[in-house]
Amino acid sequence: MTELRIAIVGFGKIARDQHVGAIAAVPGAALAAIASRNASLPGLPHFATIEELLEKGPPIDAVSLCTPPQVRRAQAAAALAAGKHVMLEKPPGIGVAELDPLVAMAAEAKRTLFATWHSRHAPAVEPARQWLAERRIKSVHVSWKEDVRVWHPGQGWIWEPGGLGVFDPGINALSILTKILPKPVFVTAAELAFPANCQAPIAANLTLTDIDGLAVTAEFDFRQTGPQSWDILVDTDQGRMTLSSGGARLEVDGKVLAEAPDEEYRGLYRRFVELAATGASDVDLTPLRLVADAFLLGRRTVVEPFVD
């Protein structure tokens, strides 16, 4: 098998913690270079920018963009123009419409554009989808609450326009929700809490439904201390399903049906290798559309300033 030679662009916490190990563990993938202004990896060619990487770097087939979403569109366009396959960390961009030209570029160049949703690859997500497919769903509640100081320390970009604030983790929940429910959902109301010194929300409450009127609520909060919660609760005609730990554990009425170690990013890279073999793309923007609608419909309140 010919290896897919991948360069990581943007070498922050998520790239170091997840992407490097996942690439090393996936057959057919190989890490060939790093492009980052602030960090490098011993033993690998390093470049300050994607432009320098594409001009002066070693032979590569693909780039994995782990930079803040505000700059990914231009980076993806540069990579596609250079004939490279492109993986986009989530969220894939700062808006929905900016992805359309990239999809067209990828198709014209016969290169892969992969908008990733890592939480969909959590081990209990597919079992949850299968279990719900055979039940009548009565209601759904999402509780996605974490401490931003633990998970995003010093990452000021997350509070800027396009950084999404609490929707950066919240979109993970929406990516799972739109995977496991049998019918599409849409936002009907939202309440967004903005720190007085930030351009993105620190907390959000959403009301959603589907064409049949299913009751769906979601609570996102970046101010959680103590135990963190990444849970989706679904009441059905055959019991309560709980998908917890970000999709790693599935229970029905307290009985564990599925649980396994985290291999989300390995799943992403297996999919990337598979797509790149034929130049196919995978760009599902449904979770991003729901976030965009939450901003469109949201009632905004101002809360105390955020200090990292």
Side-chain angles (χ1 to χ4, degrees):
M1 177 189 294
T2 302
E3 285 189 321
L4 185 70
R5 299 166 296 182
I6 303 168
I8 293 178
V9 180
F11 203 55
K13 177 177 172 57
I14 194 68
R16 293 191 301 270
D17 292 352
Q18 300 290 349
H19 287 258
V20 172
I23 293 172
V26 171
L31 182 56
I34 301 291
S36 172
R37 294 188 186 278
N38 303 310
S40 61
L41 195 63
L44 280 180
H46 172 257
F47 305 88
T49 66
I50 189 172
E51 291 80 12
E52 185 182 3
L53 165 72
L54 294 172
E55 180 184 354
K56 302 178 181 179
I60 60 170
D61 307 298
V63 298
S64 179
L65 298 183
C66 301
T67 47
Q70 290 94 333
V71 299
R72 286 203 205 120
R73 180 198 59 77
Q75 293 175 335
L80 289 169
K84 312 305 179 187
H85 304 289
V86 176
M87 174 190 279
L88 300 168
E89 248 289 4
K90 63 86 193 171
I94 59 171
V96 180
E98 74 171 7
L99 276 299
D100 293 338
L102 297 180
V103 172
M105 282 188 69
E108 184 176 356
K110 295 182 173 57
R111 291 296 181 266
T112 292
L113 182 66
F114 181 25
T116 65
W117 303 108
H118 65 80
S119 292
R120 287 182 173 176
H121 291 263
V125 170
E126 178 58 21
R129 187 197 66 79
Q130 294 178 10
W131 192 85
L132 288 174
E134 300 177 355
R135 274 81 184 177
R136 182 174 64 83
I137 302 172
K138 297 180 179 180
S139 64
V140 182
H141 180 68
V142 178
S143 178
W144 221 260
K145 301 179 180 182
E146 63 182 55
D147 188 342
V148 66
R149 293 179 178 88
V150 172
W151 299 99
H152 296 277
Q155 296 180 17
W157 61 265
I158 208 168
W159 302 111
E160 296 298 325
L164 296 190
V166 76
F167 285 107
D168 183 79
I171 205 169
N172 294 335
L174 296 175
S175 73
I176 294 175
L177 192 70
T178 53
K179 177 72 172 180
I180 66 175
L181 293 183
K183 295 182 181 179
V185 294
F186 51 91
V187 179
T188 59
E191 297 176 357
L192 311 178
F194 284 73
N197 59 341
C198 297
Q199 299 298 313
I202 198 167
N205 293 326
L206 273 57
T207 303
L208 307 95
T209 191
D210 65 8
I211 196 169
D212 295 327
L214 176 66
V216 181
T217 54
E219 296 178 282
F220 304 142
D221 205 321
F222 249 165
R223 301 166 295 189
Q224 183 84 340
T225 58
Q228 313 283 278
S229 60
W230 301 288
D231 305 324
I232 299 177
L233 310 178
V234 185
D235 285 316
T236 77
D237 60 342
Q238 296 182 40
R240 167 170 283 193
M241 188 201 83
T242 302
L243 189 59
S244 59
S245 301
R249 180 183 176 93
L250 173 65
E251 300 178 28
V252 175
D253 292 335
K255 180 181 179 181
V256 178
L257 299 186
E259 185 174 22
D262 173 20
E263 289 194 358
E264 295 176 15
Y265 280 85
R266 294 186 186 188
L268 291 183
Y269 279 98
R270 283 192 290 267
R271 178 64 172 153
F272 194 31
V273 168
E274 175 186 275
L275 290 167
T278 61
S281 289
D282 182 351
V283 183
D284 177 13
L285 301 181
T286 305
L288 188 60
R289 290 193 183 101
L290 292 178
V291 171
D293 284 350
F295 276 97
L296 279 171
L297 294 171
R299 290 181 175 271
R300 303 187 177 208
T301 59
V302 177
V303 297
E304 63 276 3
F306 173 77
V307 179
D308 201 347

